Amino acid sequence: MAKKEEKINLGRVVLFRNFTAQKAEDLNTGDKDVCEILDVEDDQGEYIRAGYYVLPKSDATVLSNEDGLVYVYNVSLPYLEEVAHLAKVEENIIIGQAFLYPGRNMPKTSPNAFQWCMFVGVFLLGAFAIFAG
């Protein structure tokens, strides 16, 4: 029987999308999509990753409860869109750097020994075909 893998609790992120809200009681119940609760997936020092957001810790109000840390953000929708966009840009840069590190996939400007041998071989075969025919 396989053991159930225990997930490490890094905390939760609570995003209030009403910029004027200072606490949960300030939110209007008629507003659409005003709160989002996400688990923290990765703690990168100054930033935390939750869902498809990479959020700076300096913008959060950090609270604690018996389940762990809670990062509370009072943000507007443009802020969230920009944070999500920056997370995608960062991911694309990391993926690009993973495949373009020095020594791999780097274009070489001069031919190597194998290419010189191939060139000489093709030249000799061409010369032999001309003089033999």
Side-chain angles (χ1 to χ4, degrees):
M1 178 184 267
K3 289 185 177 181
K4 185 178 179 182
E5 187 175 316
E6 230 179 276
K7 186 177 178 183
I8 297 173
N9 183 10
L10 297 175
R12 292 188 185 262
V13 172
V14 179
L15 298 169
F16 292 113
R17 293 187 185 187
N18 185 350
F19 191 72
T20 60
Q22 295 298 316
K23 50 190 168 185
E25 294 83 27
D26 294 341
L27 294 172
N28 298 328
T29 56
D31 292 343
K32 289 185 178 179
D33 200 25
V34 294
C35 183
E36 191 171 355
I37 300 173
L38 304 165
D39 289 329
V40 175
E41 297 169 0
D42 189 19
D43 187 344
Q44 302 171 348
E46 295 181 18
Y47 299 95
I48 54 175
R49 182 179 294 276
Y52 54 90
Y53 300 118
V54 176
L55 301 161
K57 286 183 181 179
S58 60
D59 290 350
T61 302
V62 182
L63 307 171
S64 64
N65 65 7
E66 63 273 358
D67 295 330
L69 293 175
V70 178
Y71 300 92
V72 180
Y73 292 88
N74 295 319
V75 296
S76 61
L77 189 57
Y79 174 86
L80 290 177
E81 290 172 347
E82 183 65 23
V83 165
H85 172 71
L86 291 175
K88 288 179 184 175
V89 169
E90 179 185 4
E91 183 178 321
N92 289 338
I93 289 171
I94 290 170
I95 289 172
Q97 289 175 347
F99 292 104
L100 293 176
Y101 57 89
R104 178 166 170 83
N105 293 338
M106 299 298 286
K108 295 189 177 186
T109 56
S110 62
N112 60 20
F114 177 74
Q115 291 170 333
W116 279 111
C117 290
M118 291 296 294
F119 176 71
V120 170
V122 168
F123 179 75
L124 291 176
L125 284 174
F128 180 74
I130 290 173
F131 292 118

